[in-house]
Amino acid sequence: QIYLLMPRASKSPARSRSPASDKPLAMRRTPRKAAPPARLGDGDNWGSSPASKWAPPPEPTPTKPAERGKALFDSEDSTAKNKKKAKAGGVLQWYRSRREAKPWVYGLLEGAAFAAAGELVATCILKQQSADPMRLLFFAGWGAVVAFCVAPWLKLLSSLTLSRPSRLLDSMGKAVLNQLTMTPLLTLVFVAAWEVMLKKTPVPELATRGVGPISEPFTDRYKRTAVFWLTADFVNLLLVPNNYRFLVALAMGAIWAVLSSHMTT
């Protein structure tokens, strides 16, 4: 009985520690937030409108599913369009690679093609006449000569700087310079070649008579040529990047070939 009344020794490690080690095992290092958690509707104007203005969100409008046949045809059309675009892009990429490999050859061919196309448009559409093979051959050869002369000259003009602060004045100055140098030279060659090849004037006779037979057609043609090409060169040098100026010049040449063939008899 005496044994039952005596307190038993505690086996807990917390109670068996010495008085010197009564500190807690771990202490909180992060400070507690002083502000209490925010409550919904407390100071955020939530629910401030009267209940009569409350309304549920609008229901989404149901979309009608596409018909199976229409969707099938639409997908087929888009696939066909994508194939056409890919084919056209492949042809352009192939031509660009070939042109970069042989720029002079393709430049001459492009000049001849543009000039011949201008002659065909002027003769068959504007004049309503059948195409003359000799005139067609003459304009094709003339387009190749122009492309041969214009390509390096246009590259030289693009590298020059006549007015550094103003691009507008720089382009206008280059266009005027072109009308004073290259345009009269090409006009003289065109008039002389026209007299010899199409009017069948012998070269010795043309040389004997001097510049008299070609002075009048040269003056008349040079006035028209300078007006057209002054505007065309100004727009080309001002707005078109360097890589595309030659092609734009050939396209302008095709337009000029239409006008030239229409004016020349």
Side-chain angles (χ1 to χ4, degrees):
Q1 295 178 351
I2 295 174
Y3 176 77
L4 294 175
L5 294 176
M6 292 180 64
R8 290 184 299 177
S10 175
K11 297 182 180 181
S12 173
R15 294 185 178 182
S16 62
R17 287 181 301 180
S18 61
S21 60
D22 288 341
K23 296 182 179 181
L25 295 179
M27 298 181 64
R28 184 182 181 91
R29 297 178 181 271
T30 58
R32 296 181 179 274
K33 293 183 180 180
R39 293 178 177 273
L40 183 63
D42 186 9
D44 56 0
N45 295 327
W46 184 83
S48 58
S49 60
S52 60
K53 294 185 178 180
W54 293 356
E59 297 181 359
T61 56
T63 57
K64 184 179 179 181
E67 299 179 1
R68 184 176 182 82
K70 187 176 183 301
L72 180 61
F73 286 125
D74 290 343
S75 61
E76 289 180 356
D77 292 341
S78 61
T79 304
K81 291 179 181 179
N82 293 334
K83 287 183 179 179
K84 290 181 180 178
K85 290 181 180 180
K87 187 176 181 180
V91 172
L92 292 177
Q93 187 68 24
W94 172 83
Y95 182 79
R96 183 180 299 176
S97 61
R98 296 297 294 264
R99 194 182 189 283
E100 290 177 355
K102 298 179 180 179
W104 280 103
V105 176
Y106 282 87
L108 297 179
L109 293 177
E110 289 168 356
F114 275 107
E119 161 63 16
L120 287 176
V121 170
T123 304
C124 300
I125 298 178
L126 298 182
K127 296 180 181 180
Q128 298 292 327
Q129 298 176 1
S130 58
D132 186 0
M134 286 301 299
R135 285 176 62 100
L136 187 61
L137 182 61
F138 174 83
F139 274 94
W142 176 247
V145 171
V146 171
F148 179 79
C149 299
V150 167
W153 174 247
L154 191 59
K155 186 177 181 180
L156 178 62
L157 277 182
S158 301
S159 63
L160 295 177
T161 303
L162 301 181
S163 178
R164 189 174 299 275
S166 176
R167 186 178 178 184
L168 186 68
L169 294 178
D170 182 71
S171 302
M172 178 57 71
K174 293 177 182 178
V176 172
L177 179 63
N178 191 27
Q179 308 317 308
L180 296 178
T181 54
M182 184 61 67
T183 298
L185 178 61
L186 291 178
T187 304
L188 181 62
V189 174
F190 178 86
V191 173
W194 187 271
E195 290 286 336
V196 173
M197 296 183 64
L198 295 182
K199 290 191 175 182
K200 307 299 181 181
T201 303
V203 176
E205 180 181 351
L206 188 64
T208 303
R209 290 186 297 174
V211 297
I214 63 175
S215 60
E216 183 177 354
F218 168 78
T219 304
D220 183 56
R221 182 176 178 83
Y222 176 67
K223 291 179 181 178
R224 300 174 181 177
T225 304
V227 172
F228 176 84
W229 281 107
L230 180 64
T231 307
D233 289 339
F234 173 69
V235 174
N236 193 7
L237 293 170
L238 180 64
L239 302 178
V240 181
N242 293 340
N243 297 336
Y244 300 98
R245 285 177 180 174
F246 179 68
L247 292 178
V248 172
L250 291 181
M252 294 291 183
I255 299 175
W256 175 243
V258 175
L259 300 176
S260 178
S261 177
H262 187 64
M263 292 183 300
T264 307
T265 58

